[in-house]
Amino acid sequence: MLNYALRRMAFGLLVVFAVTIVLFSVMQLMPGDPIRLVADPSRIPAWRIEELRRSLGLDKPAYIQYFYWLNRLLHGDFGHSIVSGQSVSSLIAARLPYTLLLALGSLVLHYVIAVPLGLFAALRANSRIDRTIVLVVTVLRTLPGFWLGILMMILFAIKLKIFPISGYQGPLSAVLPVLTLTLPALGGTVRLTRSEVLETIREPFVLTAYAKGLPGRTVRVRHILRNALIPVTVMFFLSLPWIVGGSVIIENVFAWPGMGRLLWKAITNQDLPIVQGIIVIIAVLTVISNTIGDIISGVLDPRIRIELEEVGG
Amino acid sequence: MKLPAQLRPVLRNPQFVAGVILLLVVLFSALGADMIAPKSFEEMDIPSSLAPPSRQYPLGTDHYGRCIFSRVVYGSRIALRVGLIVVTIETVIGVSLGLLAGYYGGRVDRVISFVTDLTWALPPIVLALAIVTALGPSLNNVVIAIALVSWAGYSRLIRSKAQSLKNMPYVEAARALGESDFSIMFRYILPNTYGLIIVLATLSVPAAILSTTALSFLGLGSQPPAPDWGVILNEGIAYMHSAPWISIFPGLALVCTALGFNLLGEGLRDLLDPRMKV
């Protein structure tokens, strides 16, 4: 088991490493001389530019520059914003909690809405209500998040005036973005819970539980649901990156002060250090959540562990 | 007229029929936009700006007095074209890499699978944003970016299909007859994955259209005055209070298109191979 967990972590590190190489190459391919970011060559003498170039390490070959950059990343130094001059790590640190708040809210909603719906649908499999639930979540899946967000704002913020329309003005502001982020994704969790419950119901231990004379409610919660929750938890971790990706767009709809909004502003300003910093952070978060998901499922189900090892992770 | 026997179960499937009808409407409006739309997509009528839906402007007007109905109708051209191009590029990349990985196995497989895993290690939209940052904002660059980050699903499925097909007796026979690897991959294995590819491609169109529209919405793709649904939605945000129709109808068109492709794809899957795992 330890061997498996170590292999997953090593793979995760390799992925983060590869992401930094890709990012660095993109940066190298960008048109323009990077020295322009710190000095205007038309106003500063050439010898001074050369000196700057040397002091910044820009005279070195690209791969040496890459290792310098990687070294700084490892020490938490993501550079400084070209526009505001603030340190990128402090900018990200100020925004990250807001994005994580959205992800956390989404996690809670998945358990509060999707899991009970999936359980409910499975216990009444193939009934009209089951088909309705499956149809509704299928339609929800095609809703573009940014449009759903606009509709929510029109309905709940402008017409009904229940929630603040945008920005962060206290915890209530999180309700609409979290709903927008979660509703289209509910379908996956509902379907997974439903199929897991349907599978668990057929297990002999469920029959035993009923045969012991346990009340139906106890069997449903303690025997069926508990086992079905395992894959749902794993899937949540595996889909966390998609939630973070979705929040990049949703945050901009709601002017939510998270990382996604920062990323968008940086892209429109061509503020490369911020873009790189955020993408590295998102890659690290993604790899961590994928690795946690893989390890949980490996611990709980040895068959998955073997399958993944065969794929060559 | 008598229908071919294979088509009958499909036509009895209401979801499939609904999907086909939705897509016919979208296709019709894209092809016949010049006839359907009462105005051009950029014709301004400042005195009647932000007018609610009326007989003259069926879906109302925006802040320049442009007809939202006409803009949405013309927007279907952009959406369909973008969906088609993205899916074509990702199919070509994903299928070729999947075939190579599945057929050759070994080191080739390991390298390709690592690259595939890599594109799955970041949220696709974030990776696409990174590419757009490097290339600069424009619809073409967004199309390239989305296509480059979303072929992994194809390559995984085609890889496993190729792995199982390459040991079939007819492939061994071809090899014994001296067919080259290239010919075996593309003339013997590939045709047997067509069903899978068609279903996968159809089901990928909604994601392709949704992501490109999302990036246009963020101002990184199509630029105004293009009647891209994402651009219209972006312009509508400022007028959510006074003119919510600007924000409602382009999204509705987007959902109908996405739903149409999803229903069509699921119907095709049931028709071609109900056990297919896509």
Side-chain angles (χ1 to χ4, degrees), chain A:
Chain A
M1 184 56 228
L2 186 66
N3 185 23
Y4 166 78
L6 285 176
R7 282 179 67 156
R8 294 314 298 169
M9 285 184 216
F11 176 72
L13 276 180
L14 198 59
V15 167
V16 172
F17 187 63
V19 167
T20 61
I21 293 182
V22 171
L23 269 180
F24 186 79
S25 318
V26 167
M27 178 165 65
Q28 291 288 310
L29 292 175
M30 292 272 292
D33 185 349
I35 201 81
R36 281 169 185 278
L37 298 178
V38 286
D40 183 353
S42 63
R43 295 202 305 195
I44 295 168
W47 63 268
R48 181 76 188 107
I49 293 282
E50 281 313 306
E51 206 176 79
L52 261 175
R53 211 183 280 282
R54 258 198 309 282
S55 70
L56 291 168
L58 290 171
D59 57 335
K60 301 274 194 316
Y63 69 92
I64 302 275
Q65 287 186 45
Y66 168 73
F67 284 111
Y68 282 166
W69 179 65
L70 191 64
N71 187 33
R72 285 198 298 273
L73 284 188
L74 288 175
H75 289 91
D77 176 7
F78 288 78
H80 293 267
S81 157
I82 294 168
V83 176
S84 67
Q86 285 170 282
S87 104
V88 172
S89 40
S90 69
L91 278 173
I92 294 179
R95 304 297 195 101
L96 190 57
Y98 290 97
T99 300
L100 292 181
L101 177 65
L102 292 189
L104 189 71
S106 183
L107 170 73
V108 172
L109 274 194
H110 271 274
Y111 280 110
V112 174
I113 301 179
V115 171
L117 271 184
L119 177 67
F120 190 70
L123 293 177
R124 285 168 185 68
N126 296 323
S127 67
R128 182 169 298 177
I129 187 118
D130 171 37
R131 278 199 297 265
T132 313
I133 290 176
V134 171
L135 182 70
V136 167
V137 295
T138 310
V139 172
L140 279 179
R141 199 185 50 172
T142 56
L143 287 184
F146 53 102
W147 185 57
L148 183 63
I150 294 172
L151 292 186
M152 294 256 194
M153 284 157 100
I154 292 178
L155 182 62
F156 292 109
I158 296 180
K159 296 278 186 249
L160 300 175
K161 298 187 175 26
I162 306 178
F163 298 110
I165 185 156
S166 63
Y168 182 82
Q169 301 148 17
L172 262 189
S173 295
V175 175
L176 292 184
V178 167
L179 276 178
T180 308
L181 198 54
T182 314
L183 285 182
L186 281 185
T189 312
V190 171
R191 282 176 178 219
L192 188 67
T193 313
R194 183 178 174 276
S195 65
E196 285 300 324
V197 168
L198 281 179
E199 220 162 84
T200 316
I201 283 179
R202 284 198 292 269
E203 298 275 346
F205 70 80
V206 174
L207 193 64
T208 312
Y210 277 116
K212 282 197 298 193
L214 285 180
R217 195 187 144 78
T218 315
V219 179
R220 281 199 294 275
V221 174
R222 292 212 3 221
H223 292 82
I224 300 176
L225 189 60
R226 213 156 111 183
N227 278 285
L229 276 183
I230 297 167
V232 175
T233 307
V234 170
M235 196 180 83
F236 179 79
F237 276 105
L238 294 181
S239 61
L240 205 59
W242 267 256
I243 294 179
V244 172
S247 73
V248 171
I249 290 165
I250 302 302
E251 283 180 10
N252 283 298
V253 176
F254 287 96
W256 183 256
M259 242 176 12
R261 184 128 181 100
L262 184 64
L263 176 61
W264 175 75
K265 275 190 190 149
I267 290 176
T268 45
N269 291 335
Q270 290 284 302
D271 200 337
L272 268 189
I274 299 187
V275 177
Q276 288 168 341
I278 292 180
I279 290 178
V280 169
I281 293 285
I282 291 182
V284 170
L285 286 178
T286 307
V287 164
I288 291 176
S289 69
N290 279 346
T291 312
I292 293 177
D294 284 347
I295 291 177
I296 295 179
S297 62
V299 171
L300 297 175
D301 190 344
R303 282 167 301 177
I304 296 172
R305 194 158 79 216
I306 292 158
E307 196 179 304
L308 278 177
E309 276 174 359
E310 278 170 359
V311 173

Side-chain angles (χ1 to χ4, degrees), chain B residues 8 18 22 40 58 84 102-103 118 123 154 170 190 198 213 219 221 245 267 271 273 275:
Chain B
R8 260 173 251 150
L22 278 175
S40 121
L84 205 70
Y103 182 74
L118 207 59
Y154 293 83
Y170 77 93
L190 184 62
I198 288 171
T213 312
W245 48 87
L271 172 70
D273 179 6
R275 286 163 307 161

Side-chain angles (χ1 to χ4, degrees), chain B residues 164-187:
Chain B
S164 64
L165 286 174
K166 74 172 180 189
N167 295 320
M168 298 289 258
Y170 77 93
V171 173
E172 278 177 27
R175 203 175 292 131
L177 287 171
E179 292 279 352
S180 68
D181 285 346
F182 189 81
S183 154
I184 292 177
M185 267 188 280
F186 286 91
R187 287 186 36 220

Side-chain angles (χ1 to χ4, degrees), chain B residues 12-215:
Chain B
R12 248 180 257 127
N13 178 348
Q15 294 193 3
F16 182 78
V17 174
V20 171
I21 293 174
L22 278 175
L23 287 185
L24 281 179
V25 171
V26 178
L27 191 68
F28 187 63
S29 66
L31 294 178
D34 296 322
M35 279 173 289
I36 298 168
K39 300 258 158 71
S40 121
F41 62 85
E42 48 190 359
E43 185 184 326
M44 298 188 201
D45 178 8
I46 303 286
S48 35
S49 62
L50 302 178
S54 64
R55 184 162 299 185
Q56 194 192 356
Y57 294 106
L59 303 182
T61 61
D62 66 6
H63 52 302
Y64 290 125
R66 290 175 298 192
C67 170
I68 294 294
F69 177 66
S70 307
R71 285 177 69 74
V72 170
V73 166
Y74 275 102
S76 62
R77 288 187 171 172
I78 301 182
L80 286 186
R81 193 169 59 217
V82 157
L84 205 70
I85 298 174
V86 168
V87 165
T88 308
I89 302 176
E90 62 189 30
T91 307
V92 170
I93 301 178
V95 169
S96 321
L97 289 180
L99 271 181
L100 288 172
Y103 182 74
Y104 283 112
R107 193 169 294 166
V108 177
D109 182 23
R110 266 196 300 264
V111 171
I112 292 178
S113 293
F114 180 71
V115 177
T116 311
D117 283 350
L118 207 59
T119 68
W120 275 26
L122 268 180
I125 201 85
V126 174
L127 208 53
L129 283 174
I131 298 175
V132 173
T133 314
L135 299 177
S138 84
L139 183 60
N140 285 343
N141 291 345
V142 163
V143 165
I144 293 170
I146 299 288
L148 282 181
V149 300
S150 44
W151 48 266
Y154 293 83
S155 102
R156 289 200 168 177
L157 279 169
I158 298 297
R159 169 181 173 271
S160 67
K161 186 94 181 168
Q163 275 175 341
S164 64
L165 286 174
K166 74 172 180 189
N167 295 320
M168 298 289 258
Y170 77 93
V171 173
E172 278 177 27
R175 203 175 292 131
L177 287 171
E179 292 279 352
S180 68
D181 285 346
F182 189 81
S183 154
I184 292 177
M185 267 188 280
F186 286 91
R187 287 186 36 220
Y188 289 78
I189 295 180
L190 184 62
N192 279 296
T193 62
Y194 282 162
L196 187 65
I197 295 174
I198 288 171
V199 172
L200 201 52
T202 313
L203 288 175
S204 312
V205 177
I209 297 180
L210 289 187
S211 337
T212 44
T213 312
L215 290 186

